[in-house]
Amino acid sequence: MNENELNTLGFKAAKDTIQVLKGTVESLQLNLSQERDANEGLQLTIESLKGDNERLQEENFQLQSELQSLKETAGKEPSAEKTDNSKASLQELAQKLSFYYQDMKKVDAKNLTAEDSETLYNILDYTFKTLKKAGLKL
């Protein structure tokens, strides 16, 4: 083979290598774009969950305030029978809700998943229904 033929073969090999590299770059750019889209979706989910968390914390604070108010009101009642009934009612509520409270404590607030948010929603839903059945006005 002469020098021209070798140069031609070298240029053809370089051209083929460039084509392969272009394909690799396009594939990597597509993968990067998909990962960015996935990250944006996760960011939106995180922001939504943060908003839900803030709302739930506020509702929890309100419920605790109402519970404290109820405890103070129950403590002022002169009738021992009413106090005993109130304590019994609170104990029944505690028993009904304790299982769900334990489930809630198992959730890692710093690493919430979609499954965790569904669990938390169901816990709150059950809790509020139970409180309504017990006579608490929300």
Side-chain angles (χ1 to χ4, degrees), residues 49 106-109 111-121:
L49 290 173
K106 291 177 186 174
V107 174
D108 181 7
N111 296 313
L112 286 177
T113 64
E115 185 178 319
D116 291 336
S117 63
E118 182 180 355
T119 299
L120 290 173
Y121 172 82

Side-chain angles (χ1 to χ4, degrees), residues 58-79:
E58 184 177 320
E59 288 176 15
N60 183 32
F61 177 76
Q62 289 174 351
L63 287 173
Q64 287 179 355
S65 295
E66 289 178 21
L67 180 61
Q68 184 63 32
S69 176
L70 287 172
K71 284 180 181 179
E72 289 172 5
T73 302
K76 293 178 184 177
E77 292 181 6
S79 169

Side-chain angles (χ1 to χ4, degrees), residues 74-134:
K76 293 178 184 177
E77 292 181 6
S79 169
E81 184 178 317
K82 287 184 179 180
T83 302
D84 289 342
N85 286 340
S86 294
K87 285 182 182 178
S89 295
L90 286 175
Q91 284 293 23
E92 287 176 24
L93 276 174
Q95 287 176 340
K96 288 179 181 179
L97 298 175
S98 66
F99 175 78
Y100 292 94
Y101 177 74
Q102 295 302 320
D103 276 354
M104 183 189 75
K105 296 303 279 179
K106 291 177 186 174
V107 174
D108 181 7
K110 293 183 180 181
N111 296 313
L112 286 177
T113 64
E115 185 178 319
D116 291 336
S117 63
E118 182 180 355
T119 299
L120 290 173
Y121 172 82
N122 290 330
I123 289 170
L124 283 172
D125 186 49
Y126 176 80
T127 301
F128 286 117
K129 285 178 182 177
T130 302
L131 291 172
K132 283 181 182 180
K133 285 181 184 176

